[in-house]
């Protein structure tokens, strides 16, 4: 394939004689002793260039006489199984830390160690827009005594390559611990990284961001503009064009209902069976969780992530916490040192949102695949391997694989039971159907698995959108990428109190409204980017979720008024004056019926039809949704980027799914529509 040929050509260029690693870096090439970038094949692997390296683990020579021969032999065997360096195996086994290994490697090779503590920003040759590249690659170019040297934090098979290189390489490179490199980048590149986390998307693709002017006068102008726009849409049409407005609103409502039903019954493709990849073919995987006021959830979350069936040597976990959240930071510290766990402190800048925290972690992601989990999540142990399988069976244009979310509360109210039925229909029926139809997916905020390179390419998450998941699903489609669902479950906690539910649902409604407004700024461009499917999906899903909730009490009020007046019971019920009310009646009945059908299908897949009675309260639940939607409109006008946090740890959870084999409740079988 062309991409592979390109990589081979670059590999030959890296090893060209007569040029130092520093000279190659200056001309835009990677040094020959370092792993080059992997080709974007159907199954990416950041160690792919070295999969055929079955030679001796030369990186262990520096530990001869330091560690037991049996231990070194075991590390070399494991490294060969995984296709990574044996030094990385020992570090992940917590036999020794990275700093200790580098001390031994330095004495063995004669290459000095540089902790970067005394390096001035002026000595670094990185531009501000290159800081994120250094974080991802582990390489920092420095000017020292008028010469160019590279500070390298060895990863993958880099230590082996250094040991095999010409001894003169020590004149051009310095070894540095990864933690020291990270601190250097945060110390000197903090403003650039903060700007990228906060306004990276807006700076690169301003038309695709929900960011607004940060100045005080700008905020008031934006509020006035949004207030005028909302008033114009909500108040003028009913008076200027009442019949057209009522018809359009009802048809939009029915379109949303039709999409839910069609996708729920759309035939699923048969799953392609592939032999599971060997561990050396598995990519490095990074998990990111953004935590805020989640001290009680840290330990259960880490237990769930540690139970994932994935080579620990290829697993990288990043927890992002806020600077003022001392309790969560203390809870993480109490866990002790974990070689595969890193903690990042998000910058204390507005907006304080989950997507900004995820963007802060994105430059430091090492895996070619990255997954996002929430504090209360309990993923099935096999989820990462299932996600890898979904990417392997999909084309290169698949950027995201979405797992199912399932509510496992034991403490239930009618509200949380309805929430559970809603989730069952959404993630086990509705989204797999949309995936099978090839439509853009309104992603869930958790258990999204991304190709890291593509995520960086499209600008990461929008820090100013409070439903960054739904926005990202549409934006991926606009860049020509697809999202799919796959058969794995993450168990979550549903709110049990109305106040907590209302705050969460208000944020979701506000985010869907933001997403619709952002992508409909230029409707023609949206059509050209995402095609008819993307255009219709945005309007029926993001727009439909909000519109149906806003319109429901209006329609219901109009119907009740007509009924109390006796107009609908009269023989002339089908007169032109009553047609809007009858259209409302059809829309409401269709909406409630479709919600019940989709919810029952989802509960059946979860073997929880015993809870299906709760769907009889759909009409009342929709009133609650309407309260959240109208509250979201007010928030959108007044404070569009404020993140209302959902409280976790309130409900008792069902027995730990990690103790039940695959973790599926009631032997549920999910359809894989990847």
């Amino acid at each position: 394939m062309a991409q592979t040929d390109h990589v081979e050509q670059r590999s030959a260029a890296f090893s060209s004689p007569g040029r130092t690693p520093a000279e190659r870096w200056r001309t835009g090439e990677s040094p020959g002793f370092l792993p080059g970038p992997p080709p974007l094949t159907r199954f990416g692997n950041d160690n792919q260039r070295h999969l055929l390296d079955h030679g001796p683990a030369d990186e262990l020579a520096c530990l001869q006489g330091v560690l037991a021969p049996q231990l070194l032999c075991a590390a070399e065997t494991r490294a060969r199984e995984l296709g990574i360096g044996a030094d990385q195996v020992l570090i992940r086994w917590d036999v020794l830390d990275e700093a200790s290994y580098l001390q031994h490697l330095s004495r063995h090779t004669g290459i000095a160690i540089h902790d970067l503590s005394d390096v001035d920003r002026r000595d670094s040759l990185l531009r501000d827009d290159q800081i994120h590249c250094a974080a991802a690659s582990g390489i920092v170019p420095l000017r020292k005594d008028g010469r160019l040297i590279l500070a390298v934090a060895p990863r993958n098979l880099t230590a082996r390559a250094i040991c095999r290189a010409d001894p003169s390489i020590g004149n051009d490179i310095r070894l540095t611990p990864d933690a020291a490199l990270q601190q250097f980048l945060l110390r000197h590149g903090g403003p650039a990284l903060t700007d990228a986390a906060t306004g990276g998307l807006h700076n690169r693709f301003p038309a695709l961001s929900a960011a607004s002017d940060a100045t005080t006068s700008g905020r008031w102008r934006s509020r006035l503009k949004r207030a005028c726009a909302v008033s114009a849409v909500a108040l003028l049409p009913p008076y200027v064009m009442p019949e057209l407005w009522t018809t359009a609103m009802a048809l939009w409502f029915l379109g949303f209902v039709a999409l839910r039903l069609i996708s729920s019954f759309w035939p699923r493709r048969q799953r392609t069976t592939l032999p599971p990849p060997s561990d050396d073919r598995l990519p490095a995987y990074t998990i990111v969780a953004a935590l805020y006021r989640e001290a009680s959830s840290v330990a259960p979350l880490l237990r769930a992530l540690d139970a994932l069936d994935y080579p620990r040597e290829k697993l990288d976990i990043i927890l992002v916490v806020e600077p003022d959240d001392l309790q969560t930071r203390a809870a993480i510290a109490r866990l002790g040192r974990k070689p595969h766990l890193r903690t990042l402190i998000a910058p204390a800048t507005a907006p304080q949102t989950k997507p900004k925290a995820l963007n802060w972690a994105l430059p430091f992601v090492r895996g070619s695949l990255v997954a996002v989990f929430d504090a209360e999540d309990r993923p099935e142990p096999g989820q990462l391997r299932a996600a890898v399988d979904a990417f392997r069976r999909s084309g290169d244009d698949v950027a995201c694989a979405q797992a199912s979310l399932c509510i496992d509360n034991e403490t239930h109210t009618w509200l949380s039971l309805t929430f559970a039925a809603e989730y069952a229909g959404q993630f086990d029926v509705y989204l797999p159907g949309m995936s099978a139809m090839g439509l853009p997916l309104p992603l869930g905020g958790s258990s999204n698995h991304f190709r890291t390179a593509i995520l960086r390419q499209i600008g990461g998450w929008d820090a100013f959108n409070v439903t960054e998941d739904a926005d990202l699903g549409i934006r991926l489609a606009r860049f020509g990428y697809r999202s799919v669902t796959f058969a794995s479950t993450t168990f979550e906690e549903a709110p049990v109190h109305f106040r907590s539910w209302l705050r969460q649902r208000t944020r979701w409604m506000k985010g869907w409204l933001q997403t619709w407004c952002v992508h409909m700024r230029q409707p023609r461009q949206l059509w050209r980017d995402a095609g008819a499917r993307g255009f219709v999906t945005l309007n029926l899903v993001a727009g439909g979720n909000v519109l149906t909730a806003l319109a429901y009490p209006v329609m219901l009020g109009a119907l009740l008024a007509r009924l109390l007046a006796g107009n609908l019971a009269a023989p002339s019920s089908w007169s032109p004056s009553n047609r809007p009310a009858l259209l409302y009646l059809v829309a409401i009945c269709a909406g409630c019926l479709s919600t019940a059908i989709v919810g029952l299908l989802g509960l059946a897949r979860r073997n929880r039809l015993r809870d299906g009675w709760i769907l009889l309260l759909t009409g009342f639940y929709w009133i609650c949704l309407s309260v959240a939607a109208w509250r979201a409109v007010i928030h959108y006008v007044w404070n569009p980027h404020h993140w209302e946090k959902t409280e976790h740890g309130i409900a008792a959870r069902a027995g730990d799914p990690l103790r039940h084999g695959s973790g599926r409740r009631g032997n549920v079988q999910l359809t894989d529509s990847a």
Side-chain angles (χ1 to χ4, degrees):
M1 98 193 305
Q3 289 172 325
T4 305
D5 294 341
H6 175 65
V7 171
E8 291 174 352
Q9 292 169 6
R10 289 195 61 182
S11 299
F14 297 156
S15 58
S16 57
R19 303 179 67 196
T20 67
E23 288 171 339
R24 296 191 187 108
W25 179 278
R26 188 184 294 112
T27 58
E29 300 175 3
S30 296
F33 61 87
L34 294 175
L40 290 176
T41 58
R42 296 188 71 236
F43 178 49
N45 190 314
D46 52 355
N47 300 310
Q48 191 158 355
R49 274 189 60 197
H50 302 275
L51 287 177
L52 299 179
D53 185 357
H54 296 301
D58 295 322
E59 65 273 21
L60 295 183
C62 62
L63 298 177
Q64 297 292 338
V66 178
L67 298 178
Q70 298 88 342
L71 181 58
L72 296 179
C73 182
E76 182 173 3
T77 301
R78 182 60 173 165
R80 189 171 292 114
E81 292 173 353
L82 297 178
I84 64 175
D87 57 312
Q88 300 299 307
V89 172
L90 290 171
I91 291 170
R92 291 305 181 94
W93 284 358
D94 206 16
V95 173
L96 75 172
D97 58 29
E98 183 187 27
S100 299
Y101 174 75
L102 291 184
Q103 291 286 349
H104 293 291
L105 182 63
S106 174
R107 285 194 290 268
H108 179 72
T109 61
I111 300 175
I113 293 178
H114 200 321
D115 64 5
L116 306 177
S117 59
D118 60 347
V119 176
D120 189 84
R121 179 68 177 93
R122 293 169 297 181
D123 295 329
S124 172
L125 301 183
L126 290 172
R127 301 190 308 268
D128 284 348
D129 61 348
Q130 294 175 324
I131 294 291
H132 68 283
C133 299
S137 66
I139 307 170
V140 177
L142 301 172
R143 184 186 295 106
K144 185 175 180 62
D145 299 328
R147 299 179 57 252
L148 174 65
I149 64 170
L150 302 179
V152 179
R155 300 174 184 171
N156 304 322
L157 286 158
T158 300
R160 182 177 302 180
I162 289 175
C163 290
R164 294 176 179 177
D166 189 282
S168 63
I169 200 175
N171 298 325
D172 296 296
I173 71 169
R174 299 291 184 271
L175 301 174
T176 186
D178 199 84
L181 182 141
Q182 179 174 300
Q183 287 302 316
F184 170 81
L185 295 177
L186 291 175
R187 184 168 63 251
H188 295 297
L193 292 171
T194 299
D195 182 64
T198 303
L201 178 65
H202 182 259
N203 295 337
R204 293 177 59 190
F205 311 108
L208 300 181
S209 172
S212 60
D213 194 338
T215 65
T216 303
S217 59
R219 284 200 298 268
W220 279 102
R221 284 197 301 270
S222 297
R223 288 170 179 170
L224 181 59
K225 182 179 178 180
R226 287 190 295 269
C228 292
V230 169
S231 299
V233 172
L235 302 179
L236 289 182
Y239 293 99
V240 177
M241 300 173 293
E243 187 169 346
L244 180 61
W245 181 81
T246 54
T247 302
M249 187 167 62
L251 290 178
W252 200 342
F253 197 111
L254 290 171
F256 172 71
V257 169
L259 178 63
R260 285 172 58 84
L261 289 175
I262 292 172
S263 61
S264 297
F265 288 98
W266 194 265
R268 308 315 195 240
R269 291 181 300 174
Q270 290 295 323
R271 174 178 175 175
T272 303
T273 302
L274 294 175
S278 57
D279 284 355
D280 65 341
R281 293 278 177 176
L282 290 175
Y285 222 120
T286 295
I287 293 174
V288 181
L291 308 178
Y292 185 53
R293 296 177 182 171
E294 298 286 4
S296 62
S297 301
V298 168
L301 173 65
L302 263 295
R303 283 197 297 270
L305 297 183
D306 282 341
L308 289 169
D309 176 22
Y310 206 79
R312 190 66 65 247
E313 299 87 350
K314 287 190 170 184
L315 188 60
D316 175 36
I317 301 175
I318 301 177
L319 302 182
V320 189
V321 298
E322 298 296 329
D324 62 341
D325 189 4
L326 301 181
Q327 290 183 331
T328 301
R329 293 167 63 177
I332 296 173
R334 285 194 293 270
L335 297 175
R337 191 170 70 88
K338 292 179 177 290
H340 62 292
L341 175 65
R342 290 181 286 159
T343 303
L344 295 175
I345 310 299
T349 57
Q352 190 179 56
T353 60
K354 173 185 171 182
K356 187 196 73 175
L358 296 177
N359 281 336
W360 183 249
L362 187 56
F364 298 96
V365 167
R366 299 174 186 170
S368 55
L369 297 180
V370 57
V372 175
F373 289 105
D374 286 339
E376 80 277 19
D377 285 353
R378 307 291 182 269
E380 288 183 341
Q383 185 166 129
L384 299 190
R385 291 182 182 268
V388 168
D389 188 56
F391 283 113
R392 292 174 66 223
R393 290 184 285 105
S394 305
D396 294 343
D397 61 337
V398 170
C400 177
Q402 170 73 63
S404 293
L405 304 180
C406 178
I407 301 303
D408 67 345
N409 286 24
E410 282 190 337
T411 303
H412 268 306
T413 61
W414 75 271
L415 199 60
S416 64
L417 276 177
T418 308
F419 196 109
E422 186 181 22
Y423 256 40
Q426 175 82 358
F427 289 98
D428 296 338
V429 180
Y430 181 32
L431 290 188
M434 291 184 67
S435 176
M437 294 172 69
L439 300 177
L441 298 187
L443 302 173
S446 173
S447 302
N448 316 127
H449 300 254
F450 298 98
R451 296 188 193 269
T452 307
I454 295 177
L455 188 58
R456 287 170 173 156
Q457 174 194 343
I458 68 168
W461 293 269
D462 186 354
F464 292 87
N465 193 312
V466 295
T467 52
E468 76 294 339
D469 40 13
D471 167 73
L472 191 53
I474 299 297
R475 182 150 38 94
L476 283 170
R478 297 191 68 168
F479 277 82
Y481 296 109
R482 292 190 298 124
S483 302
V484 298
T485 59
F486 68 101
S488 183
T489 300
T490 296
F491 295 92
E492 290 199 334
E493 173 189 354
V496 295
H497 303 304
F498 180 75
R499 180 177 178 273
S500 179
W501 177 92
L502 180 62
R503 289 165 59 88
Q504 182 186 66
R505 195 55 62 114
T506 297
R507 173 167 54 82
W508 290 1
M509 291 286 184
K510 181 173 65 175
W512 286 328
L513 181 58
Q514 280 181 316
T515 299
W516 185 85
C517 290
V518 165
H519 292 284
M520 283 298 289
R521 285 170 177 167
Q522 300 173 324
R524 291 183 181 179
Q525 187 62 46
L526 171 64
W527 186 284
R528 286 194 292 266
D529 292 345
R533 292 185 178 187
F535 187 91
V536 172
T537 299
L538 172 72
N539 283 280
L540 292 185
V541 177
N545 265 301
V546 180
L547 176 76
T548 53
L550 293 175
Y552 179 68
V554 177
M555 293 180 173
L556 196 61
L559 279 175
L560 290 176
R562 296 272 181 170
L563 285 172
L564 291 176
N567 292 342
L568 291 182
S572 59
S573 295
W574 290 95
S575 64
S577 62
N578 281 337
R579 285 175 188 171
L582 292 171
L583 196 57
Y584 288 166
L585 180 62
V586 171
I588 289 176
C589 292
C592 291
L593 185 61
S594 69
T595 299
I597 291 173
V598 174
L600 287 172
L601 288 173
L603 289 173
R605 288 174 181 267
R606 289 285 164 189
N607 199 20
R608 290 181 57 175
L609 277 176
R610 63 186 181 277
D611 296 328
W613 64 270
I614 198 65
L615 292 168
L616 295 174
L617 301 178
T618 296
F620 181 70
Y621 184 66
W622 274 23
I623 293 176
C624 298
L625 289 176
S626 297
V627 173
W630 284 102
R631 186 171 180 262
V633 170
I634 297 172
H635 281 223
Y636 175 71
V637 171
W638 189 254
N639 201 358
H641 312 308
H642 175 64
W643 187 280
E644 289 195 285
K645 176 178 163 47
T646 303
E647 296 177 276
H648 298 132
I650 304 300
R653 305 286 293 275
D656 189 352
L658 305 176
R659 294 198 301 264
H660 296 281
S662 68
R664 291 186 176 92
R665 291 290 185 270
N667 299 319
V668 63
Q669 297 297 321
L670 300 179
T671 302
D672 189 337
S673 54

